[in-house]
């Protein structure tokens, strides 16, 4: 067979490559789930672009496709890509990479004369192999199957509120009302943020709702709820355990400070959650295996612990000025937080911010507690502290690269449209 069945023209490959590199940048995915659309499109076109001659003679050793089959498959993948971006529209408002993707898909549909209506690619199945058989102990079953322990990720939400995502991004959000922190196949967590009484523009977490979803024979759906000044060491139904099997429980709640602290262990998903009241706000810390964190579908497109807060809801925290004026509010806040948090990391920065915005010395406890939870949940001590200066430099570098690639992409689209 002739090798003219190569999946995509060289010009299209160059254009698509630029588009995919742009969409794969962290800056473009921090506030919306455009990367999921991107990866689905790559998976759908992988066989098309890597097909070889019969018998495995091509680059990928795969099956050869006719030009007609390649064109039909590529158009189906583009229509699926377009549908995925439409589902992300609400969460991706104002996101540069998202709008670049939408425009790029539109141009490719026109360029390849793809009908707007037609078949789409079936979505990839969600991860289903996190439990072996009917085993209800995640860590044990993983070790039996793969001979290793899980890769754990950590998320912390505290204070005004500040979010340390599973990807170790640190953001301060201006969100009010109820927002999902985690939404995957096993777990749903929602936090409610309300204005602080007497604070200028400060908000704090006042309610946390945790839903453990029904999972095989291990656990029936269970609900936990905490509110300001009421952090119960029990589920809503009054129980402290759930999902008994062979003498063990999938869910267990206990406390070391009744009414202000609760620790929930979910053995069937290898997850630890700590809910606590620090000062006059609630906080949540989570440690969960990567495979559990990433077990979600396209419709679960808003999770503060995964993507951070939407770009339009982020608050910039100015670096402490180091003012030496004894009457300076900032100087008092810095001195107070420095005594509690000697390392000038994001927790120290959050402490100073909360003290200044709320005017309440008790607000500093939130950052201290969040840091302690991070130490308990992150095994590598070198990764506990996040330094704001390094994070800022990385943010600017990603933004510069994103803008550069966007300009290259626009130029390439214009060139291809003229040829």
């Amino acid at each position: 067979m002739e090798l003219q069945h190569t999946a995509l023209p060289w010009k299209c490959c160059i254009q698509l490559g630029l588009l995919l590199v742009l969409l794969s940048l962290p800056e473009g995915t921090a506030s919306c789930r455009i990367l999921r659309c991107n990866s689905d499109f790559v998976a759908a076109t992988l066989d098309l672009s890597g097909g070889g001659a019969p018998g495995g003679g091509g680059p990928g050793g795969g099956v050869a496709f006719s030009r007609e089959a390649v064109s039909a498959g590529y158009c189906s993948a583009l229509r699926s890509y377009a549908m995925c971006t439409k589902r992300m529209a609400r969460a991706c408002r104002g996101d540069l990479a998202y709008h670049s993707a939408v425009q790029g898909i539109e141009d490719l549909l026109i360029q390849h004369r793809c009908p707007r209506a037609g078949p789409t690619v079936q979505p990839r199945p969600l991860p289903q192999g996190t439990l072996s058989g009917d085993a209800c102990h995640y860590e044990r079953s993983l070790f039996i199957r793969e001979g290793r322990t899980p890769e754990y990720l950590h998320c912390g939400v505290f204070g005004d509120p500040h979010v340390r995502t599973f990807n170790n991004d640190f953001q301060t959000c201006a969100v009010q009302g109820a927002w999902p922190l985690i939404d995957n196949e096993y777990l749903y967590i929602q936090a409610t943020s309300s204005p602080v009484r007497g604070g200028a523009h400060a908000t704090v977490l006042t309610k946390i709702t945790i839903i453990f979803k029904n999972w095989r024979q291990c656990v029936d759906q269970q609900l936990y709820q905490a509110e300001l000044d009421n952090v119960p060491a029990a589920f809503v139904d009054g129980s402290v355990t759930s999902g008994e099997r062979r003498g063990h429980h999938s869910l267990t709640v206990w406390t070391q400070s009744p009414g202000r602290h609760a620790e929930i262990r979910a053995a069937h998903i290898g997850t630890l959650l700590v809910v606590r009241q620090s000062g006059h706000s609630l906080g949540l810390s989570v440690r969960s295996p990567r495979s559990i964190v990433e077990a979600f579908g396209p419709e679960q497109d808003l999770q503060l612990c995964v993507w951070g807060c939407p770009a339009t809801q982020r608050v910039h925290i100015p670096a402490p000025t180091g003012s030496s004026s004894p009457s300076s509010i900032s100087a008092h806040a810095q001195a107070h937080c420095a005594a509690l948090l000697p390392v000038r990391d994001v927790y120290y920065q959050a402490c100073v911010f909360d003290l200044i915005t709320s005017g309440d010395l008790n607000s500093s406890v939130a950052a201290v507690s969040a840091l302690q939870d991070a130490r308990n949940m992150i095994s590598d001590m070198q990764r506990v502290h996040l330094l704001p200066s390094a994070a800022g430099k990385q943010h600017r570098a990603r933004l510069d690269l994103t803008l550069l690639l966007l300009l290259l992409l626009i130029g390439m689209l214009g060139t291809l449209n003229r040829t």
Side-chain angles (χ1 to χ4, degrees):
M1 179 179 287
E2 297 181 3
L3 293 181
Q4 52 181 300
H5 63 267
T6 302
L8 300 175
W10 281 106
K11 290 181 180 179
C12 184
C13 286
I14 295 173
Q15 176 189 11
L16 180 59
L18 283 172
L19 178 62
L20 296 183
V21 170
L22 174 65
L23 297 183
S24 298
L25 290 173
E27 178 64 28
T29 62
S31 62
C32 72
R33 299 202 42 243
I34 189 63
L35 184 57
R36 180 63 182 241
C37 300
N38 174 24
S39 62
D40 285 345
F41 179 74
V42 171
T45 56
L46 196 58
D47 291 336
L48 298 177
S49 60
V63 178
F65 295 99
S66 67
R67 284 198 171 196
E68 292 76 14
V70 168
S71 179
Y74 188 63
C75 287
S76 295
L78 279 174
R79 284 190 290 266
S80 297
Y81 204 171
M83 290 175 59
C84 186
T85 58
K86 287 180 181 178
R87 288 194 296 267
M88 305 296 172
R90 179 175 62 87
C92 295
R93 289 192 303 268
D95 190 283
L96 183 63
Y98 168 77
H99 291 290
S100 300
V102 171
Q103 185 59 54
I105 294 168
E106 181 70 18
D107 290 339
L108 289 172
L109 285 169
I110 295 173
Q111 179 181 337
H112 293 278
R113 298 183 176 86
C114 295
R116 301 289 172 172
T120 56
V121 177
Q122 293 297 316
R124 291 179 294 167
L126 291 170
Q128 295 293 329
T130 54
L131 292 177
S132 176
D134 63 348
C136 295
H137 194 289
Y138 179 88
E139 296 171 347
R140 189 179 305 148
S141 61
L142 179 67
F143 189 82
I144 293 173
R145 291 196 320 270
E146 302 181 18
R148 66 178 181 88
T149 56
E151 177 190 358
Y152 287 109
L153 303 178
H154 167 66
C155 173
V157 185
F158 65 96
D160 194 5
H162 312 285
V163 179
R164 176 175 181 159
T165 72
F166 287 123
N167 297 314
N168 288 318
D169 290 325
F170 188 82
Q171 300 171 3
T172 297
C173 305
V175 296
Q176 289 192 30
W179 290 74
L181 302 180
I182 295 175
D183 182 10
N184 58 46
E185 294 304 295
Y186 312 95
L187 185 65
Y188 179 83
I189 303 178
Q190 177 178 279
T192 301
S193 184
S194 305
V196 175
R197 293 180 182 178
H201 303 287
T203 58
V204 294
L205 298 184
T206 55
K207 185 176 181 179
I208 294 175
T209 300
I210 303 172
I211 300 175
F212 295 93
K213 300 179 182 180
N214 179 68
W215 182 245
R216 297 183 180 176
Q217 302 90 349
C218 296
V219 65
D220 293 327
Q221 181 170 296
Q222 187 59 277
L223 173 65
Y224 175 87
Q225 197 165 78
E227 296 187 41
L228 204 59
D229 299 322
N230 181 22
V231 182
F235 296 108
V236 169
D237 63 7
S239 65
V240 295
T241 59
S242 185
E244 183 177 3
R245 181 176 176 80
R246 298 177 182 175
H248 299 280
H249 293 93
S250 293
L251 296 175
T252 306
V253 187
W254 73 280
T255 183
Q256 60 184 11
S257 179
R260 301 184 67 85
H261 165 272
E263 183 172 304
I264 307 173
R265 294 186 179 272
H268 67 296
I269 54 175
T271 298
L272 171 65
L273 304 98
V274 175
V275 181
R276 67 172 77 248
Q277 179 166 334
S278 301
H280 301 295
S281 67
L282 296 179
L284 174 73
S285 296
V286 181
R287 186 191 69 178
S288 190
R290 179 179 290 278
S291 61
I292 299 297
V293 168
E294 295 180 348
F296 53 81
E299 72 284 356
Q300 294 157 307
D301 61 347
L302 185 59
Q303 303 181 60
L304 269 61
C305 271
V306 176
W307 310 110
C309 47
T312 56
Q313 300 293 322
R314 294 180 199 168
V315 177
H316 171 67
I317 300 183
T321 61
S323 171
S324 59
S325 170
S327 61
S328 167
I329 297 176
S330 176
H332 283 300
Q334 291 176 49
H336 180 79
C337 293
L340 299 172
L341 301 160
V343 179
R344 301 299 178 94
D345 60 1
V346 294
Y347 295 99
Y348 165 80
Q349 192 179 42
C351 175
V352 173
F353 179 84
D354 290 350
L355 276 180
I356 294 175
T357 55
S358 69
D360 180 9
L361 283 178
N362 289 323
S363 65
S364 60
V365 183
V368 175
S369 298
L371 175 58
Q372 186 57 54
D373 286 340
R375 286 173 175 154
N376 294 337
M377 293 183 174
I378 300 175
S379 57
D380 183 358
M381 289 296 104
Q382 300 298 321
R383 294 173 48 239
V384 171
H385 297 284
L386 295 176
L387 300 180
S389 57
K393 291 178 181 177
Q394 184 180 28
H395 173 87
R396 287 191 296 274
R398 290 197 307 236
L399 181 59
D400 291 343
L401 184 56
T402 299
L403 292 175
L404 175 61
L405 286 174
L406 177 61
L407 292 174
L408 289 173
L409 175 62
I410 292 173
M412 184 62 67
L413 287 174
T415 302
L416 290 176
N417 287 336
R418 289 193 297 270
T419 58

